[in-house]
Amino acid sequence: MKLQHYLGGLEGLGPITVETRVFVEEWEKRIFGIHTAMMALSPQLPLPATPSAFRTVWTWAHLRTGAEGLNPFDYFKYRYYEKWLGGISGYFIENGYITEEELEARTAEYLADPDKPLPQGGAPEIDQRVERYLAEGDSPKRDVAILPDFQEGDTVQVRNVPTLEHTRLPGFLRNHSGVVETVYPGAYGYLTDTGTDGVGAPMPVYCVRFEAKDLWPGNTEPNVTLYADLYAAYVTKPTA
């Protein structure tokens, strides 16, 4: 695991940024729009076909994998949407939409002339599909019958799963015990298979309650409780 998977409770990482603006610079809005369009145009969705040349699957998980896979020094150096930009650019190169040389050349063009107009246009069917995707969303709930192993009130222990690039399990919860507060009805898949990390296929999801004093002994305020929604693959029976 990388340092960025362990952030909760760590000290010495510098001051916390309390920026409240969603977008600090104008280009960040465009990056958000590109990401949204890529998700909406992914071929696995049951939405009307469009003349878009986008032919591969892109999800939130791909975006997070790109960020979490960074060298930790780069992860903490770049701002939020700079990580998005790097992840999306890398994805386009890896999937053959553009070469690294072409991307470098186009970047140089706009750095030399920042006022150069950006490409315009596009088929209305693409806009309609993106708008429909935004309105309907993409629920992770799956129509499969899977019974949960734990019930409300059960004590569970968080596994220390082998994570490579991407995880939905915070490092500070690993090997700690908590109490199941809620068993969400149904089963929930994840956007992609995280490999040895363990999530992807539909499974139960639990809301687990932890006491902060148990997570960070001697380094928290009293009477602080933390709740975490955890996939079933991340929890097990407590060790004796």
Side-chain angles (χ1 to χ4, degrees):
M1 289 183 68
K2 293 182 170 64
L3 180 62
Q4 47 263 42
H5 294 140
Y6 277 99
L7 287 183
L10 289 182
E11 298 179 344
L13 295 178
I16 295 175
T17 300
V18 292
E19 175 62 64
T20 59
R21 291 173 293 175
V22 177
F23 303 108
V24 177
E25 298 182 19
E26 282 298 309
W27 66 266
E28 296 174 346
K29 298 178 182 179
R30 184 171 290 269
I31 290 297
F32 183 87
I34 291 171
H35 161 65
T36 303
M38 290 168 67
M39 290 196 299
L41 295 170
S42 292
Q44 84 281 10
L45 298 176
L47 295 174
T50 74
S52 170
F54 191 73
R55 62 186 183 280
T56 51
V57 175
W58 173 264
T59 68
W60 278 106
H62 294 89
L63 185 71
R64 292 169 178 146
T65 299
E68 294 176 26
L70 288 172
N71 179 294
F73 291 103
D74 290 332
Y75 183 89
F76 292 108
K77 178 173 66 176
Y78 295 123
R79 297 204 335 266
Y80 187 66
Y81 284 106
E82 288 176 326
K83 298 186 184 81
W84 282 38
L85 175 59
I88 291 172
S89 299
Y91 180 88
F92 281 141
I93 292 171
E94 291 169 5
N95 287 274
Y97 292 103
I98 192 171
T99 67
E100 186 171 352
E101 293 74 21
E102 290 170 336
L103 182 60
E104 291 288 347
R106 294 189 189 183
T107 301
E109 288 179 18
Y110 284 99
L111 288 175
D113 183 9
D115 296 324
K116 180 179 179 178
L118 294 170
Q120 300 295 322
E125 298 94 333
I126 295 176
D127 293 341
Q128 292 164 7
R129 175 163 168 148
V130 173
E131 291 168 359
R132 179 172 170 180
Y133 173 79
L134 287 171
E136 297 179 0
D138 182 19
S139 174
K141 193 171 185 180
R142 301 292 182 259
D143 187 19
V144 295
I146 300 177
L147 296 176
D149 292 330
F150 302 103
Q151 302 299 323
E152 295 175 2
D154 287 348
T155 299
V156 295
Q157 182 170 326
V158 180
R159 299 175 185 269
N160 187 17
V161 294
T163 296
L164 298 177
E165 289 185 330
H166 178 47
T167 185
R168 301 305 295 158
L169 178 60
F172 60 85
L173 294 180
R174 294 169 184 249
N175 296 320
H176 286 283
S177 295
V179 177
V180 176
E181 183 80 8
T182 304
V183 180
Y184 292 110
Y188 300 81
Y190 189 53
L191 302 164
T192 189
D193 188 330
T194 60
T196 56
D197 183 78
V199 301
M203 65 184 71
V205 173
Y206 307 98
C207 177
V208 183
R209 183 178 73 250
F210 300 89
E211 299 304 320
K213 62 181 178 62
D214 297 329
L215 300 176
W216 303 291
N219 196 26
T220 183
E221 297 177 356
N223 303 318
V224 175
T225 301
L226 182 147
Y227 296 86
D229 289 342
L230 300 175
Y231 281 97
Y234 291 152
V235 297
T236 187
K237 293 180 180 179
T239 56

